[in-house]
Amino acid sequence: MKTISQFWRRARRLPIMSALVLFCALSLAIAPRAQATVYDVELSEQLKHGPDLCAAAPCRDVMPAAQQFSERKGAPSYVEAYAVDAGKNAGKKQLVGYVFLSTDVVDIPAYSGKPIVTLIGMDTRGIITGVRVLKHSEPILLAGIPESELLKFIGQYVGKAADAKLVIGSGSQDTGSIGLDAISGATVTVIAENQVISRSAYEIGRQVGIIKVMPRPAARFTPLNDKLNWAALLAEGSVQRLLISAEDAGALDTSRPYMDLHFGYLNTPSVGLSLLGAHGYKRLMEDLKPDEHAIFIIANGQESFKGSGFVRGGIYDRVQVRQDPVTFTFRDTDYQNLYHLQPADAPAFKESAIFIIRSKDFNPAWPWQLTVLANKADKQSGGKTFVHFDQELWLPARYLEGGRPHVERPQAVWKSIWANQKLEIALFALILGFTAFMYSRRDKLVRRSNRKSKPWISVPRHLLWIASVGFLGFYLKAQPSITQVMTWFHSLLHQWKWELFLSDPFIFIFWWFIIITTLIWGRGLFCGWLCPFGSLQQLALSIGKRVGLKRFQKLLPQKLHNKLRWVKYAVFAALLGVSFYSMEAAEHLAEIEPFKTTFLVGVWNRTWPFWLFIGAILGWSFVSERPYCKYICPLGAGLALPGKFRLFGLKRKAECSTCHACAAGCGSHAIDANGKIDQMECMLCLDCMVLYYDDHACPPLVGERKKREKNGQPLTAIDGGGHFISLETVKRELADKAASQRARG
């Protein structure tokens, strides 16, 4: 009770603006939110795997013209949709389209690391008739961005062809692409969902014969019949390895791989003879019919690539072959025993097989993939999720007459994003580079300034603040956030994917800049010079001075500041801790950051507590320097911790321990009574460094200057330690410099 009463007495002494900010933060926690309708809902086994998909799924929603639906068929599976005549031909059925579940076709994780389960309808012409999200795990669609935005996004697919080239952003007549409007602030989510819908519709369209594919010339092998050892086959790529770690597959036993496979294509004479020997290769080729192809697989590890649930007449559900994007599965009649490999340096293996691909659609001259399917244990739900692991094999050119054919490989989505934003990326990098260059020249800049006039520092910083707010914040939406820190931590523990972070080029570049500069100079270069919301607060302070509020602009008392500054570290630790328990809860709590409302979503799209929260922060910023940065910001706290170990700090001299001139003017309260700078709190405004070299403002320098004037000593330069140096020293340094230049020249 004593502690509570003490806290209340202190709280009553807080400035009114501080109390208002705390009230707003509390209001955010109880602010009304749109309730999620499909976030991590439980899907029935009938819907996920049962034969009658439409008994559990709303198939009529995505195929309005149908009254009846078949059971699942095909591989990957789909449902036929029928319209039933109610007129004179009552009961007559007509096929009007197909309905399919995305997870039956593809497995593409979104930002959360889990797929967006989507139901898709397509008519007999290959036109998408409806899309409905049945389940997602995207926290971003709970905090800040309503689910209605996702529904609005997927509505764009209705009326599009299954084989259309759908891209996020602007389309292009040159490439025949069709642009789709994205969801601001949820780039990764819409990229993943675009691939889910496009690839699912394309695969089913091909399977049912709607989408026709141009035939490829049959592969013709060169007469080479070299006998190679295992190492040579691996080196040239005729044999590939697919290593699946226990961590990637979610296996409990992490002491050995989940699966370690080697595979290759046996029809090629050199490969077949090297692996099987002359007798084995001849016998295999005699058994194969036209348009039949043999591949071998050997494996070690915890699990069998043949699958534990295989039954006679069934299929091997663990391994598949994919080629643009047809999938080939294997039945028991496609399997042959493989007892031995000829190369003496071939690895030992626990299991092996030869599988036969019986299809004219498979062409070994083009690249293909071996896919291993696995049920990954979900640590959060306790259940299992469907995942696949792929490895490509493309025969070396020397085995193919005419060499490898030209293959137009689809460009990675993140590469397309970077290519379409070259100008913006260049301008963004230019701003970051200019900022780093300016700060690296700080010593020369502050020497040219003084306490009354600081154009060499003030003007560039104000220009950077304006660019940060307008270009980086509102235009590019490049505002780093604590949610990215939490995602980074989770990706390290679960599944690291570069593509996840590369999908937003500005945030990706910004974070590398932040990491490097924080370790070199501390967090102040980002927080004090480039953070869009921090810059917005700083501009508010400057505007306040211009409109006559300067006499009201004050800092909190040092003692109160020293206590409140620890709040941001507590917020950072709490958010990070909660994220390991529930990312959804952490996303909700991360609304204590006003970044999303200000730059990503827009104030006009939020409810009144968010308006009041940002209004309170900016209102306080008119009369106090960066209050949010100093007391609440969890991102600033997260950057301050590694910044403690920065390589270079600001200069101090012995007299700083007794002189409090810099501390009195520090807007960050980052200089203590002993003159020491707390680099974890410093925003690198450089005001103290201007004073450091000003012989009319720095008390030790003022005293030294007056003493020299009284004794008739000439006033010379001020050295890096903040003291006058003798004329002889200056002459000697100039002579040494001239000699060095002559030696180089």
Side-chain angles (χ1 to χ4, degrees):
M1 292 297 294
K2 182 179 179 181
T3 303
I4 295 174
S5 62
Q6 288 176 344
F7 173 79
W8 176 248
R9 285 197 301 272
R10 291 172 182 167
R12 288 191 297 174
R13 294 198 295 269
L14 286 175
I16 185 170
M17 198 61 72
S18 175
L20 183 57
V21 170
L22 292 176
F23 165 75
C24 294
L26 180 63
S27 300
L28 289 177
I30 60 175
R33 304 176 188 271
Q35 294 298 313
T37 55
V38 292
Y39 178 84
D40 265 351
V41 299
E42 289 295 328
L43 301 179
S44 68
E45 285 299 315
Q46 174 72 4
L47 186 148
K48 292 189 291 186
H49 307 297
D52 195 351
L53 169 65
C54 294
C59 295
R60 287 286 300 273
D61 289 358
V62 298
M63 184 60 67
Q67 290 83 41
Q68 287 186 11
F69 301 90
S70 71
E71 291 188 343
R72 273 184 167 108
K73 57 175 59 179
S77 64
Y78 62 91
V79 165
E80 292 178 339
Y82 295 94
V84 180
D85 196 334
K88 59 180 181 180
N89 297 320
K92 185 178 179 180
K93 296 192 301 183
Q94 179 183 358
L95 179 67
V96 294
Y98 310 90
V99 176
F100 39 95
L101 195 65
S102 63
T103 48
D104 285 341
V105 186
V106 295
D107 176 37
I108 300 173
Y111 193 85
S112 63
K114 300 178 182 178
I116 300 175
V117 183
T118 308
L119 191 69
I120 305 163
M122 178 177 66
D123 66 18
T124 53
R125 299 173 299 151
I127 305 299
I128 296 174
T129 57
V131 181
R132 179 164 174 177
V133 173
L134 303 183
K135 175 181 178 177
H136 74 83
S137 303
E138 303 297 279
I140 191 69
L141 298 179
L142 297 175
I145 301 176
E147 277 189 346
S148 58
E149 290 298 311
L150 179 61
L151 302 180
K152 181 179 176 182
F153 170 76
I154 63 176
Q156 300 176 91
Y157 290 87
V158 177
K160 303 292 193 301
D163 58 350
K165 188 176 182 180
L166 304 175
V167 297
I168 303 300
S170 301
S172 171
Q173 291 184 349
D174 295 336
T175 61
S177 60
I178 300 174
L180 299 171
D181 295 330
I183 302 175
S184 179
T187 307
V188 177
T189 300
V190 298
I191 289 174
E193 181 66 346
N194 179 50
Q195 293 187 54
V196 164
I197 297 172
S198 300
R199 288 178 57 181
S200 297
Y202 186 78
E203 177 68 22
I204 298 301
R206 285 195 56 172
Q207 186 176 174
V208 299
I210 296 174
I211 298 173
K212 306 297 182 182
V213 180
M214 294 295 293
R216 294 168 172 169
R220 295 184 180 276
F221 302 124
T222 57
L224 290 174
N225 57 359
D226 301 340
K227 191 171 183 180
L228 306 175
N229 61 18
W230 185 262
L233 291 167
L234 277 174
E236 71 173 10
S238 298
V239 172
Q240 293 289 334
R241 184 185 186 189
L242 175 55
L243 177 62
I244 305 172
S245 69
E247 291 81 2
D248 289 342
L252 297 177
D253 181 4
T254 57
S255 62
R256 54 198 179 112
Y258 177 81
M259 205 176 294
D260 186 3
L261 301 92
H262 288 87
F263 66 97
Y265 180 72
L266 293 174
N267 290 45
T268 310
S270 290
V271 179
L273 289 169
S274 299
L275 292 172
L276 304 180
H279 176 72
Y281 176 68
K282 180 180 179 182
R283 181 176 176 181
L284 176 65
M285 290 299 101
E286 288 174 349
D287 290 342
L288 293 182
K289 298 176 182 177
D291 295 325
E292 292 188 349
H293 311 268
I295 67 169
F296 84 95
I297 302 176
I298 62 171
N300 293 294
Q302 301 181 36
E303 295 293 331
S304 166
F305 67 79
K306 299 177 183 178
S308 57
F310 177 77
V311 295
R312 182 168 294 279
I315 64 171
Y316 291 89
D317 59 356
R318 289 288 182 92
V319 290
Q320 298 176 342
V321 166
R322 295 184 179 184
Q323 189 179 53
D324 267 353
V326 179
T327 300
F328 304 96
T329 56
F330 303 107
R331 298 187 176 275
D332 57 344
T333 53
D334 303 324
Y335 168 84
Q336 292 185 16
N337 291 320
L338 174 63
Y339 299 107
H340 175 69
L341 290 175
Q342 288 293 318
D345 58 339
F349 49 86
K350 186 176 69 175
E351 60 176 350
S352 60
I354 292 176
F355 287 114
I356 310 301
I357 302 171
R358 307 180 194 276
S359 174
K360 62 181 180 180
D361 292 328
F362 181 81
N363 192 320
W366 268 258
W368 54 274
Q369 293 177 328
L370 180 73
T371 297
V372 175
L373 310 176
N375 287 319
K376 182 177 180 180
D378 190 329
K379 296 179 181 179
Q380 292 185 351
S381 65
K384 292 187 176 182
T385 56
F386 175 78
V387 293
H388 65 85
F389 303 91
D390 305 309
Q391 178 60 45
E392 182 182 273
L393 188 149
W394 194 358
L395 283 176
R398 72 190 192 100
Y399 294 140
L400 299 167
E401 288 188 359
R404 286 174 169 176
H406 176 69
V407 174
E408 296 241 348
R409 293 182 178 273
Q411 191 177 38
V413 177
W414 68 267
K415 291 182 180 180
S416 300
I417 295 174
W418 284 65
N420 293 333
Q421 296 180 312
K422 290 180 180 178
L423 178 60
E424 291 89 344
I425 292 172
L427 291 174
F428 181 69
L430 183 64
I431 292 173
L432 299 188
F434 174 75
T435 305
F437 174 77
M438 281 285 297
Y439 187 75
S440 69
R441 310 287 291 178
R442 63 192 177 281
D443 202 60
K444 290 187 176 182
L445 295 175
V446 297
R447 285 174 180 268
R448 295 184 180 183
S449 304
N450 59 61
R451 63 186 178 87
K452 292 185 178 180
S453 176
K454 298 180 283 187
W456 296 102
I457 296 295
S458 178
V459 172
R461 290 195 73 196
H462 273 81
L463 292 175
L464 284 172
W465 290 333
I466 293 171
S468 178
V469 173
F471 183 63
L472 273 63
F474 286 110
Y475 182 73
L476 298 181
K477 303 186 185 303
Q479 170 66 69
S481 167
I482 189 63
T483 57
Q484 292 147 8
V485 177
M486 294 188 293
T487 301
W488 179 75
F489 271 105
H490 282 261
S491 69
L492 290 179
L493 295 175
H494 299 293
Q495 189 177 18
W496 174 268
K497 287 190 175 182
W498 278 105
E499 293 82 358
L500 185 67
F501 300 94
L502 286 165
S503 59
D504 192 327
F506 306 108
I507 292 297
F508 180 81
I509 295 172
F510 217 160
W511 268 110
W512 276 112
F513 176 86
I514 292 169
I515 291 169
I516 294 170
T517 57
T518 298
L519 294 176
I520 296 176
W521 295 308
R523 71 146 172 148
L525 191 62
F526 164 71
C527 293
W529 293 56
L530 284 173
C531 175
F533 193 78
S535 299
L536 188 61
Q537 293 176 83
Q538 196 70 48
L539 290 176
L541 184 72
S542 298
I543 293 171
K545 291 179 181 179
R546 295 285 184 180
V547 298
L549 297 177
K550 186 174 182 179
R551 58 188 177 132
F552 300 107
Q553 291 179 342
K554 297 179 180 178
L555 301 175
L556 295 183
Q558 183 74 48
K559 289 185 178 179
L560 182 58
H561 164 83
N562 289 341
K563 295 176 181 178
L564 289 180
R565 72 191 182 100
W566 294 107
V567 172
K568 62 179 176 288
Y569 296 99
V571 173
F572 169 73
L575 287 174
L576 189 59
V578 170
S579 72
F580 288 107
Y581 170 74
S582 169
M583 206 47 192
E584 176 188 355
E587 283 278 355
H588 280 303
L589 294 175
E591 288 291 358
I592 199 169
E593 283 187 332
F595 310 153
K596 188 185 300 180
T597 298
T598 306
F599 300 112
L600 300 182
V601 181
V603 177
W604 50 88
N605 292 324
R606 309 307 295 271
T607 51
W608 66 266
F610 297 94
W611 307 341
L612 193 59
F613 183 47
I614 292 178
I617 293 173
L618 295 180
W620 191 1
S621 299
F622 277 100
V623 295
S624 186
E625 187 170 336
R626 295 176 178 263
Y628 180 81
C629 303
K630 289 188 286 192
Y631 305 124
I632 304 175
C633 183
L635 178 62
L639 296 177
L641 297 174
K644 187 176 179 65
F645 306 101
R646 83 268 171 239
L647 293 177
F648 304 105
L650 297 180
K651 294 178 179 179
R652 296 282 84 191
K653 45 193 165 188
E655 293 86 349
C656 292
S657 61
T658 56
C659 174
H660 299 157
C662 291
C666 180
S668 300
H669 273 317
I671 304 177
D672 63 18
N674 296 320
K676 184 179 179 182
I677 296 177
D678 183 354
Q679 299 289 349
M680 293 176 66
E681 299 297 319
C682 178
M683 297 290 178
L684 299 181
C685 67
L686 299 181
D687 285 352
C688 63
M689 295 308 299
V690 172
L691 199 67
Y692 182 88
Y693 289 111
D694 191 344
D695 61 1
H696 285 76
C698 176
L701 273 179
V702 170
E704 191 174 347
R705 176 179 57 80
K706 289 182 177 180
K707 184 178 179 180
R708 281 176 171 268
E709 290 175 342
K710 184 178 180 180
N711 296 333
Q713 293 177 322
L715 296 177
T716 56
I718 299 173
D719 64 11
H723 296 284
F724 287 101
I725 57 177
S726 66
L727 185 60
E728 291 74 14
T729 303
V730 173
K731 291 179 179 179
R732 186 170 59 252
E733 289 180 353
L734 290 174
D736 291 343
K737 184 177 181 180
S740 176
Q741 289 177 345
R742 286 195 300 271
R744 289 197 304 267

